[in-house]
Amino acid sequence: TEAALAPVREFIEDAVLLRFRPARDPGLLWRRLRALMLGRARPCAEWAEPTAKMRSGLARLHARDFDRAHVFRLYMLPVSRAVLGDRIVPFDLDLDDWESEARRARGESAEAEAWADLERRWLPRASRVVVCSEPGALGVTRRYGLDGVEVIENAVSVPEVQAEASDVVPPQ
């Protein structure tokens, strides 16, 4: 955990890692099984609604003060809300992908509507919304009437490396 935080440590005062595993939480296990029985490759939009077991782990964070929350992925909003409770804390929402449109593109119309409901409810409340592409930013801006949706692309520039003759292993 500490190694994963090293690159951003200067921006973080404190971090808490909470691991929720279906094998140890009957509520999560049921959700995963239900998604499989319904033929869903991924669990549905309510996946991260905290179970009773998750809420007890999240309760450890209730006494902490937060200046701001950064929520990665729309499905993690219920978890962040469980931590923050009734406190009003500005939050950034990093959508990564535009979930409702991604589901719609795959022909998952019921699932797309569930995500669109969450988007309608939460995107206007975010202090900052981030998506991974310009088309996504334009679409989110138009659909939800938001200003300043930011783009952070899902890409890493990898320099081209030419293999040296000595690096090539001949077949045996």
Side-chain angles (χ1 to χ4, degrees), residues 100-167:
S100 64
E101 284 306 301
R103 299 296 192 281
R104 211 168 265 116
R106 292 195 299 260
E108 301 169 2
S109 57
E111 194 65 15
E113 270 315 300
W115 286 101
D117 286 344
L118 287 172
E119 292 165 358
R120 273 190 290 279
R121 188 168 138 205
W122 289 104
L123 269 56
R125 298 180 187 182
S127 302
R128 178 177 167 220
V129 176
V130 178
V131 295
C132 67
S133 70
E134 283 295 332
L138 290 170
V140 167
T141 297
R142 286 184 186 136
R143 180 162 301 157
Y144 301 108
L146 304 177
D147 291 324
V149 175
E150 296 178 42
V151 175
I152 299 176
E153 294 180 6
N154 293 336
V156 174
S157 297
V158 178
E160 282 192 41
V161 178
Q162 297 294 326
E164 298 289 326
S166 61
D167 293 339

Side-chain angles (χ1 to χ4, degrees), residues 8-84:
V8 294
R9 177 52 70 195
E10 68 182 279
F11 305 107
I12 298 173
E13 183 177 310
D14 191 15
V16 175
L17 175 64
L18 298 171
R19 293 179 188 214
F20 301 112
R21 295 187 173 98
R24 295 184 184 161
D25 186 337
L28 284 177
L29 182 59
W30 169 245
R31 288 179 189 173
R32 180 119 349 133
L33 290 172
R34 181 174 160 242
L36 289 171
M37 289 187 298
L38 294 173
R40 294 180 174 143
R42 290 185 176 165
C44 47
E46 73 271 5
W47 173 248
E49 184 64 40
T51 64
K53 187 167 185 172
M54 291 169 77
R55 284 188 188 283
S56 69
L58 295 169
R60 295 184 297 161
L61 300 175
H62 283 290
R64 294 178 177 234
D65 288 325
F66 297 93
D67 297 324
R68 182 174 210 91
H70 183 89
V71 182
F72 180 67
R73 304 299 293 249
L74 184 60
Y75 67 83
M76 291 304 293
L77 263 170
V79 173
S80 69
R81 301 317 306 162
V83 169
L84 298 171

